[in-house]
Amino acid sequence: MIITKLKTNRITNPLGFSMGRRPRLSYIVTDTAGRKQTAARYEVALDEAFSSVVLDSGIRADIDSLSFELPIQLMPRTRYYWRVEVWADNGDHALSETAWFETAKLEEPWEAKWIVPDMDKEHHPVLGRTFKLTGAVTSARAYVCGLGLYELQINGIKAGDEYFTPHFNAYHKWLQYQTYDVTQLLREGNNQLQVSLGNGLYKGRFGFDGHSRELYGSEFAVLCEIRVTFADGTTVVLNSDTDWTAERSRVMDGNLYDGEVYDATFTATELYNVREGELGFERLRARMSVPVTVKEELKPVEVIQTPAGETVLDMGQNMVGWIRFRTRAPKGTVIRLQHGEVLQEGNFYRENLRTAKAEYVYTTDGEEAIVRPFFTFYGFRYVKVEGWPGELDPNDFTGCVLYSDLDQIGSFETSDPLVNRLFLNALWGQKGNFLDVPTDCPQRDERMGWTGDAQVFSGAACFNMDAYTFYAKYGYDMYQEQEDREGMVPMVVPAVNVPSGGSSAWADAATIIPWNVYLHYGDKAILEQQYESMKSWADFIIRADEGSGGKRLWTVGFQFGDWLSLDGSNDSSMGGTDEDFIASAYYCHSTGLVAKAAKVLGLKEDATYYEQISGQVRQSIEDEFFSKTGRLALDTQTAYAIALKMDLAPESYRKRLVDGLINRLRKDRNHLKTGFVGTPYLNFALSDNGCEELGYTLLLNDDYPSWLYAVKLGATTIWERWNAIDTDGKIGNPGSNSLNHYAFGAIAEWMYRVIAGINPSEEAPGFRRVVLAPKPDLRLRWAKAKLESAAGTYLSEWTFDEEGELEFHFEIPFHSTALVRLPRAASAVLSIAGPMPDSPANEEGEDILLELESGSYVIRYMPFRSYLKMLSTYTPLVVLAENEQACELIAPFFPPGFVQNPDSLYSMIRNTSLRELAVHNPIDSSILDELDRKLKVI
């Protein structure tokens, strides 16, 4: 037995993070034949030897590996060591290695002062001082906040491996400070301390109009407190104060949109005084943001000489970060790197970045140097290099991929390389847009935390990465903004210069994201933190409803609708689905989620109230948008998908809704018309209702509009628009055309939940219990997904052999259970290798249900209804009409042109087969049998 993944607040050994109400510990058990945990014990101490124990939980049966809240009073600036001991039902026993967490300053007052450089505020400053240490250093911590962005150096070495501190949040409401272990950077004798500052979104050019500046502040500022402990036990505190000085940085100019200008030949000749700043300390709190680090490195795959005579590096992947390069150029050489996502007619292109220059300009000093930007990042695949002396060596360039330091926990793969690339595109979209804030896009003059994009992708994001802490920070920031708006959720978080908000699907991020996080990680602390945010958003909608007549419908205010769908009129980006219907659906959904959260938190009155509201809204939707026989008044893919997925109509209406969706898709040639709202739900609406084959069709389409259309055109991330690039390679309207925009990548959640069949349970969140219900399709020969969940590692894999027999491989982690649904199965023909189930198999429709516990299982059987697809005279005519060879074979049986238009054919005969038509218009059976033989081989 091995105990692993020891985390505090879902972070490994966190230094200086906010602990919330109390620290919460978690772990995972592997390598045991045991199935269940019978007991566990936590010990917490002030030393690694555990001689100063501050908590011994004792051996307890109620300790949950997903989250154990420490009932101790924390001291400031203190490292706590902890370990856990676990016992299993088979007698296995293990003691973990030691983990730790270290507190920040907590409520301790600051001795340091905010300081502001007394120099031109447009010049990037470096603030610093020298100091002398008179003894050997055994421990040192730096507590730092710098505005807008900062990097701390001691004796010429950068402190820490993260970038863009203090990160991006609603600065007017709260400021994060970071804690650094700087023990190894200090030395006995003289030391030099420097803090370099950049604009960031705090004071640089940023915001929706692309030109705003000084959104949160107009001056650079630093707060720095370093506490040093010497070998003899004495301490000294080094504080930022007016004894510090400032000088101009070699960063001549820069912001997040335009990039950075750096002059290595510049030498500061003038020192400036600093003055005490007036920022105060009320907004300061220990960090919540996960560090942004260099997570991966890429080398150029090609150096392109374009028809226009440009030298362009192709990184092979649309990425986010920067280029680190080595230069030996003569002094005064100006090297310019420009960044873009796509080539046009073989040439470098960046018009879709709008006003963002997205460049890095470096003037060399004649010395060999390794160069990278400091306070900016880029979204790009292609880099145009200008000013490079001599022949360019691609080995001198490295793409540094930056995003928040989240563990990737999910993977997905199939027999289809295009589907695999689509999954990777969604994953890379998450990497590129999870740089502290879940942004819409990382490249143009936007890069903001759009709530709608974050909401629709949150399910996929939690499968891909351990995003608990990332979303906890985003949710905290969201509520800070809501407090200023009477519960309304702004369009973007941080809200920067976008004052409006409150649109359905976008603002519903306040309820949907916390619930998804709770479902995936099983720690109700996220609901405790976000409950007032969830509730205040629901109350905002209720007030809007009551202020407009109290019809329990949401019919007022601005709505984005089904953004960027393809079924709108007059080129409207809002799509063709009634905005009141979408808004009211989310009204029902969000109040329902608040009710669920209230139940988890034991708030019975709230649970009853919001559940009642949700039910009333559902009834009003039924009254307003459905006929008495169940016809939905709105004939769009999105309307059907929302109605089915959000359970907006009585069960008796479901079949008619499903038929309506199928008919709508047929009218749309079984291709996507959905936008940001409908796309995440569409395939689920199909697979939840026995139409997963149609869901696979939508997934596997490779012509426009489809997911694989972009893949076939070489996309390496998800596009903002279905038609961002035309088949001839020409990009569409550059005004709003990001090639790294993850919203439509929400299909990755369907891949995990339906193709691989891994589904968490609301009754036992955190994957303590799952429903393993893969839904195979022979158009994929095999598929597999692996998920390192909060409860442990799940594996779900299936494959077909040549005869159509199915083999499933499932792995269920320790102390977890799964309800396994085997499709088209009969218990009499199951072959099961692995621990025998404790209970017999049950039948439900065409499925066999098995209750399985921890272990590895291989299950084989021949489906009683084959997945092998052979055309015949029993196949619906509209299906035959969609196949060119089949259409030629059946054409002689019909008037000219009758079978050439499947849409028209369907409107006349629905799913009727040739055999069924032959009942009314007799055809010799031997002719039909011969036709079957010909159709079978197609």
Side-chain angles (χ1 to χ4, degrees), residues 1 32-36 38 87-93 814:
M1 175 186 279
T32 176
R35 294 189 178 188
K36 298 288 185 182
T38 57
W87 289 263
D89 56 358
N90 69 334
D92 276 3
H93 162 258
F814 177 73

Side-chain angles (χ1 to χ4, degrees), residues 15 140-142 144 150-154 156-165 167 178-186 193-194 287 291-294 322 372 374 402 405:
L15 173 64
R141 299 290 184 270
V144 187
Y150 76 89
E151 286 194 11
L152 169 68
Q153 283 192 344
I154 297 178
I157 301 174
K158 175 178 161 53
D161 62 352
E162 65 177 303
Y163 302 91
F164 308 118
T165 50
H167 305 300
Q178 288 69 45
T179 302
Y180 301 89
D181 182 346
V182 294
T183 308
Q184 301 303 315
L185 301 183
L186 296 173
L193 168 67
Q194 290 184 317
R287 69 179 306 160
V292 173
T293 61
V294 176
W322 57 55
R372 54 92 177 172
F374 285 85
L402 288 121
D405 190 15

